[in-house]
Amino acid sequence: MSQELVSVIMPVHNAESFLDESIGSILHQTYSYWELLIVDDCSTDKSPSIIADYAEQDSRIRCFKTQAPSGSPCLPRNMGIEAAKGRFIAFLDSDDCWLPHKLEEQLPLFEKSDVGIVYSDYEKMTERGERSQRVVKAPACADYRQLLLGNVIGCLTAVYDTAKVGKVYFENHSHEDYILWLSILKQGYVARNSGKVSACYRVREHSVSSNKWKALSWQWDIYRNVEKIGFLKAAYCFVHYAYKAFRKSMT
């Protein structure tokens, strides 16, 4: 795994306050064979110039831009996936960051033939970047049936292996990352947790994911209209999901 390229996809929209920290966390990875594909979703702040400066300094950083504001990370991420050259695809939003050993710790887990996704635990931080040991712990392993009971894979921690599962793209749907993980595990692969805290998630007051009532309705829609699950099974999964979501929110 030491010579396998990792393509890191970073969608950006008006993130000038956080870009230095996010990009810097990739630059400081102990595993150095990566490329960073930054896709600017028509930012109106200083984000484009910050991105251009980093790309000029490091040839591993490539810049892209959407034709119009998409209002969702799906299109920018898909643009990045399409342009990616690496065997492995990883994701980092422009307001989050990785810890230095993330890739080094995760890639060895792909040596098992049934592993399609590797993820990790992560720590919450405030909007100002303050950490306080609020760690979101995930199970050691998840298959498709287990993941239906709730998303345990933080997008900022996830890496998937295109050599096994191919390039998989995001659907333009709420909880798009969860749908992508399900589509990979439905092929018969499993997801493994490195067992380490490898990333920091910035909790922002007005983030999309902070609206819990919307999240509940999105989850039900995924069960019924995306995964096409029957009502009783969907209700069973939904109860488990709601309980896990409540516990995560208390972390």
Side-chain angles (χ1 to χ4, degrees), residues 9 25 93 121 147 150 163 177 192 205 207 216 219 226 239:
I9 314 300
S25 73
D93 284 349
D121 301 335
L147 201 67
D177 56 332
R192 295 276 179 188
E205 183 177 353
S207 67
L216 290 171
Q219 186 75 13
V226 177
V239 170

Side-chain angles (χ1 to χ4, degrees), residues 1-6 31 33 88 107:
M1 296 296 173
S2 61
Q3 296 300 314
E4 296 288 357
L5 181 65
V6 180
Y31 183 91
Y33 196 41
F88 298 107
L107 295 185

Side-chain angles (χ1 to χ4, degrees), residues 230-244:
F231 181 85
L232 291 179
K233 184 177 180 180
Y236 173 81
C237 293
F238 185 80
V239 170
H240 280 266
Y241 158 77
Y243 173 71
K244 290 181 179 180

Side-chain angles (χ1 to χ4, degrees), residues 125-162:
M125 61 183 177
T126 67
E127 189 158 355
R128 295 187 299 274
E130 299 164 340
R131 297 170 58 182
S132 57
Q133 302 298 315
R134 299 166 61 203
V135 175
V136 177
K137 293 185 176 294
C141 181
D143 59 18
Y144 175 74
R145 292 180 63 183
Q146 291 166 327
L147 201 67
L148 281 176
L149 302 180
N151 186 13
V152 298
I153 302 174
C155 190
L156 76 165
T157 75
V159 184
Y160 76 80
D161 186 351
T162 66

